[in-house]
Amino acid sequence: MLHGLILFWARVQNGAGGSGAAKHLQARNYAAAQAPLEAALKLTPEGDLKQRVELYRALMRPYRVLNNVDKMVEAVEYIQANSDGPAERSIIATDFVSFLYQRGKTDFAAERYEAKLKENPKDPTALAVLSTIYQRVIREKKDRGQMLEGELRKLNRERAIAKAERLEKEAEADANPATAASNWKGVAKSWLEADDKEKALAAVEKLLKPPPEARTDLLAMY
């Protein structure tokens, strides 16, 4: 998916940007991929959150080798704020804490995100990073880490509910029977993420009503 996105931007930039990023990523030359990926990011509309998250995720690799951590902080905070995947957010937060520890930046992160938490008690990056740091690195604050983890679970549930409600409206508005099953599957999954099994079951019942999706033999096999 990522390489497809980069190749799309290669066409947009007449081969100068995205194609270079794809080549460097395939060769694991992450430092050289930074400039073309950032060029693609600038061309991506602010409202296209999905593609911008994809690009920031790719940029984490070149940002990892920079001398300072500012760019990595930017990428992680964007993903935490805009990714609608709780698993992705969790994995990236854990990886980020490990990165900060290796760079000797744990205290910097604790100070930064405690300040952010005072500004916004529901800051997703602050909750994810601090709950991990306090339970895995600064263990004398384990109790606070567990408390913040509880707040993070509440926030994740709120975000999952909002996502499920949005997908439900989109599924109801889509009159195409060929996509109905897929749409309602996404709704059901989101309600499960929100720990609402009753609404997830209701979505499953709706996805069973439409006719089967039109699929190629290869897709049906998978």
Side-chain angles (χ1 to χ4, degrees):
M1 182 176 181
L2 173 60
H3 289 307
L5 177 64
I6 293 168
L7 291 173
F8 165 76
W9 284 115
R11 293 194 294 272
V12 172
Q13 300 177 75
N14 296 319
S19 61
K23 178 181 67 177
H24 293 311
L25 286 173
Q26 289 167 356
R28 297 189 178 185
N29 186 0
Y30 298 136
Q34 179 178 341
L37 283 170
E38 288 180 336
L41 185 65
K42 288 180 180 179
L43 288 172
T44 305
E46 291 288 340
D48 196 344
L49 301 181
K50 185 176 180 179
Q51 287 194 354
R52 291 180 69 84
V53 165
E54 287 279 346
L55 285 165
Y56 267 118
R57 190 188 308 122
L59 278 163
M60 286 179 65
R61 287 175 280 183
Y63 288 168
R64 190 178 296 276
V65 301
L66 297 178
N67 290 331
N68 61 64
V69 302
D70 295 348
K71 286 288 190 178
M72 180 68 93
V73 169
E74 174 189 331
V76 170
E77 290 183 354
Y78 187 91
I79 294 170
Q80 292 296 320
N82 295 288
S83 170
D84 65 2
E88 175 182 47
R89 297 195 301 265
S90 176
I91 290 169
I92 285 179
T94 301
D95 177 71
F96 184 47
V97 169
S98 176
F99 166 80
L100 292 167
Y101 177 77
Q102 291 168 6
R103 291 296 190 92
K105 293 290 185 179
T106 299
D107 291 339
F108 153 80
E111 182 178 346
R112 175 182 178 84
Y113 292 114
E114 284 288 4
K116 282 188 171 292
L117 211 55
K118 289 180 180 178
E119 296 174 4
N120 176 16
K122 292 186 177 182
D123 185 293
T125 312
L127 289 173
V129 170
L130 289 174
S131 63
T132 304
I133 284 177
Y134 291 155
Q135 293 185 83
R136 301 190 183 188
V137 185
I138 308 176
R139 299 197 176 187
E140 59 268 27
K141 293 188 176 182
K142 184 177 180 180
D143 289 345
R144 176 159 175 75
Q146 290 174 339
M147 184 273 289
L148 292 175
E149 185 178 32
E151 293 302 308
L152 178 61
R153 284 196 296 269
K154 292 178 185 177
L155 177 61
N156 284 339
R157 186 169 187 273
E158 290 176 11
R159 296 177 74 173
I161 289 172
K163 175 185 173 183
E165 290 175 341
R166 172 176 56 82
L167 292 179
E168 197 166 64
K169 289 180 181 178
E170 293 174 0
E172 289 172 347
D174 187 352
N176 184 358
T179 57
S182 178
N183 290 342
W184 285 107
K185 177 184 176 182
V187 174
K189 182 179 178 182
S190 295
W191 280 122
L192 284 176
E193 289 174 356
D195 198 27
D196 194 323
K197 295 180 182 178
E198 184 177 342
K199 289 185 178 180
L201 180 59
V204 170
E205 290 172 350
K206 289 183 179 180
L207 77 83
L208 293 174
K209 291 179 180 179
E213 297 172 285
R215 301 188 176 194
T216 64
D217 292 340
L218 180 60
L219 184 57
M221 180 185 72
Y222 280 113

